[in-house]
Amino acid sequence: VPTLQIGVPYDGLLSAGEDLIFRVFVGAGETLRLDLDSANDDLANELYVRFEGLPSSREFDAAYQGGLQGDQ
């Protein structure tokens, strides 16, 4: 599982039906904010986050609350 560095944008492509999973290390007492910026705002992306586990649409600690959108 690739590790994302805080403050360093990930610039990658995601194909239809493809999943990406990343690891992020956040210091104690710190807050993590994620932004998903799609090149195509008409897409339907899903964004899930889970502490110390693999997130899914059924098991997550945080998810984008605005519905399926390109940017989240």
Side-chain angles (χ1 to χ4, degrees):
V1 175
T3 300
L4 292 178
Q5 299 298 316
I6 293 178
V8 179
Y10 172 79
D11 186 20
L13 297 176
L14 186 64
S15 299
E18 183 180 5
D19 295 330
L20 289 178
I21 296 177
F22 297 100
R23 175 186 317 215
V24 180
F25 293 102
V26 180
E30 297 290 327
T31 299
L32 177 65
R33 177 187 167 129
L34 299 173
D35 292 308
L36 190 155
D37 184 16
S38 176
N40 183 346
D41 292 337
D42 295 328
L43 295 177
N45 290 311
E46 295 178 80
L47 181 61
Y48 301 101
V49 180
R50 188 165 181 208
F51 180 70
E52 293 187 352
L54 294 174
S56 71
S57 60
R58 293 185 199 210
E59 297 186 61
F60 57 87
D61 295 320
Y64 181 71
Q65 298 298 315
L68 299 175
Q69 297 180 22
D71 293 342
Q72 298 187 26

